[in-house]
Amino acid sequence: MEPISHLSTVHVKSFVTGASGGELVQFAFTTPGVEPGDDDWHTAEWETPTVTGCTARLLVGPDGGYEPGEGTWDLWVKATGLVEAPVFNTGQVPIT
């Protein structure tokens, strides 16, 4: 992912294969190599579903739903359905 300025308010996005868009979706930003705890999760939203899955997004930055601060963060996505709640580490997000 391209670096994001800490002055920006942007959607951070992640595609979730197999998601219908009806699940509860949450993002967590953690120090690299650290798994998220219960208090790290932030409610995200879905874009329009496709036949293969759906893109989740969270508005981050000074005017967004969450402001992670400067640094390089591991991005985690959790999609909670009726039975399953898979958690994915989707890569790193650099914020400058």
Side-chain angles (χ1 to χ4, degrees):
M1 174 176 280
E2 291 292 320
I4 300 169
S5 167
H6 70 279
L7 301 173
S8 298
T9 299
V10 297
H11 279 108
V12 172
K13 299 180 180 186
S14 181
F15 187 80
V16 180
T17 301
S20 69
E23 304 87 354
L24 169 66
V25 64
Q26 297 171 296
F27 281 21
F29 294 81
T30 65
T31 300
V34 176
E35 294 181 348
D38 291 341
D39 293 335
D40 293 324
W41 294 104
H42 304 277
T43 301
E45 62 186 7
W46 295 109
E47 293 185 346
T48 303
T50 69
V51 295
T52 58
C54 199
T55 298
R57 68 183 186 183
L58 178 68
L59 190 62
V60 299
D63 298 318
Y66 178 64
E67 190 172 358
E70 292 183 59
T72 298
W73 304 97
D74 275 356
L75 175 61
W76 298 79
V77 178
K78 178 167 55 172
T80 305
L82 295 175
V83 178
E84 297 180 317
V87 175
F88 306 96
N89 181 328
T90 64
Q92 294 188 331
V93 179
I95 299 180
T96 60

